[in-house]
Amino acid sequence: MPFINECAVEACSYNVGSACHALAITVGDPPHARCDTYFVTSFEGGDPAATGQVGACKMADCRHNSRLECQAPGIAVGPGREAADCLTYSPR
Ligand code: SF4
Ligand code: SF4
């Protein structure tokens, strides 16, 4: 699974130091490439020893997408149209 190389959404409960620690995020709520795992609550989530990875992606029109899985070597997440977007999204 591709690694999340950086995530600038520090308000997310899975984020520590601009790094995602969710074991597997889901991207997409077509037509928008948002991080669907983005969640704000009062405690930290994820595994602090792990680097987040992309578990599934619903953006079938992205050039990195094959069979609803991300094939990019890694992705970046940050604020875009919404609070947490896949910045590596690239429509075919
Ligand atoms: S990639 Fe998504 S789940 Fe991970 S820290 Fe960023 S917004 Fe949160
Ligand atoms: S790069 Fe494309 S296929 Fe990979 S997670 Fe982002 S939108 Fe999905």
Side-chain angles (χ1 to χ4, degrees):
M1 296 189 294
F3 282 102
I4 302 159
N5 292 329
E6 59 176 325
C7 175
V9 187
E10 299 201 8
C12 178
S13 292
Y14 291 106
N15 193 301
V16 178
S18 295
C20 178
H21 297 282
L23 296 181
I25 71 166
T26 299
V27 173
D29 189 8
H32 190 66
R34 72 177 176 204
C35 175
D36 211 28
T37 308
Y38 169 55
F39 189 53
V40 178
T41 189
S42 58
F43 53 89
E44 290 182 357
D47 179 350
T51 300
Q53 293 175 274
V54 182
C57 177
K58 293 175 261 181
M59 302 304 294
D61 68 332
C62 177
R63 69 180 68 248
H64 301 294
N65 195 297
S66 175
R67 300 173 61 89
L68 302 178
E69 304 286 353
C70 180
Q71 303 293 326
I75 71 162
V77 177
R81 247 177 58 189
E82 294 183 12
D85 291 354
C86 176
L87 303 178
T88 310
Y89 170 61
S90 176
R92 293 183 213 273

